[in-house]
Amino acid sequence: MHVQEWLETVPAVAVYALVGIVIGLESLGIPLPGEIILVSSALLASQHGDIDPVVLGACATAGAIIGDSIGYAIGRKGGRPLLAWLGGKFPRHFSEAHIATAERSFQKWGMWAVFFGRFVALLRIFAGPLAGVLRMPYWKFLIANVLGGILWAGGTTAVIYYVGIVAESWLKRFSWLGLVLAVLIGLTSMLVLRRKAKKTAAAAESTPTPAPVGD
């Protein structure tokens, strides 16, 4: 069953809880489709009045901030052995190439890697635990975590909600054109992301892992 179709079968309170929990677990370091759940829920809110977009955005934001904070604490306590363990459990997401890529981002951007990492699927999973492993000062992490969580979760909810309202009335008149456009955009995005992922993995394999970030 499609994610949005399934969400239509559960009450609003369950949708709020699901969004907060899934995004929180993803931010904690568990590879889950948090962005898909959030986008589907925001679209659902634009079509059904039972779901309040403000409450939805607040739950998503809370899940993002709390999950990242827990991930930071776990990463700081577990250290690099934690990354090795995660690599064994989730080799597709926590491969050495992905870890090296994330570490270079932290090395170059510091707390901004946490902030902008919210908008990148790979860094969204890594940000909290890796910031803890690299012992980023907590006050820097907290500022970036809160600001990034608010902008990503709240902003995504607002944008998708209003786009959904506009698109619903527009697609009633041009449904076939909207379908073709959506397919083209989806295919183009998939090809571009796949190409970038291959380049990033190749660069990570040829670049030595940077030294840890100190306090």
Side-chain angles (χ1 to χ4, degrees):
M1 184 183 293
H2 190 276
V3 173
Q4 190 168 351
E5 292 176 349
W6 179 79
L7 288 172
E8 291 177 352
T9 66
V10 299
V13 174
V15 174
Y16 301 146
L18 178 67
V19 168
I21 291 172
V22 171
I23 291 178
L25 291 175
E26 182 190 38
S27 302
L28 189 153
I30 300 176
L32 290 176
E35 191 167 42
I36 294 176
I37 294 293
L38 179 57
V39 169
S40 298
S41 300
L43 280 175
L44 186 62
S46 70
Q47 300 166 10
H48 299 275
D50 293 339
I51 299 178
D52 189 332
V54 175
V55 177
L56 181 67
C59 291
T61 301
I65 295 173
I66 294 172
D68 241 14
S69 297
I70 295 175
Y72 175 91
I74 293 174
R76 193 172 181 93
K77 184 175 181 180
R80 289 188 176 276
L82 173 66
L83 296 181
W85 180 83
L86 289 173
K89 293 292 183 179
F90 308 103
R92 181 179 176 184
H93 297 85
F94 288 89
S95 65
E96 292 183 5
H98 286 168
I99 292 175
T101 299
E103 283 188 307
R104 284 200 306 275
S105 298
F106 272 72
Q107 209 44 46
K108 182 176 182 179
W109 301 106
M111 64 183 290
W112 293 109
V114 177
F115 178 82
F116 290 112
R118 275 287 167 203
F119 303 89
V120 181
L122 176 63
L123 286 180
R124 189 160 55 247
I125 298 172
F126 277 111
L130 192 56
V133 169
L134 298 179
R135 297 190 173 275
M136 175 182 290
Y138 183 70
W139 68 269
K140 289 185 176 182
F141 169 80
L142 183 61
I143 292 174
N145 177 28
V146 172
L147 294 179
I150 292 174
L151 188 59
W152 174 73
T156 298
T157 302
V159 169
I160 298 300
Y161 175 77
Y162 287 111
V163 167
I165 292 177
V166 173
E168 185 177 16
S169 60
W170 187 82
L171 289 176
K172 286 179 180 178
R173 294 176 292 171
F174 305 100
S175 57
W176 64 270
L177 182 60
L179 178 61
V180 171
L181 182 62
V183 170
L184 289 176
I185 292 175
L187 288 175
T188 302
S189 300
M190 181 183 67
L191 292 174
V192 171
L193 289 175
R194 183 173 295 178
R195 185 177 179 183
K196 288 185 176 181
K198 289 182 179 179
K199 288 183 177 180
T200 300
E205 291 176 359
S206 61
T207 304
T209 303
V213 178
D215 288 314

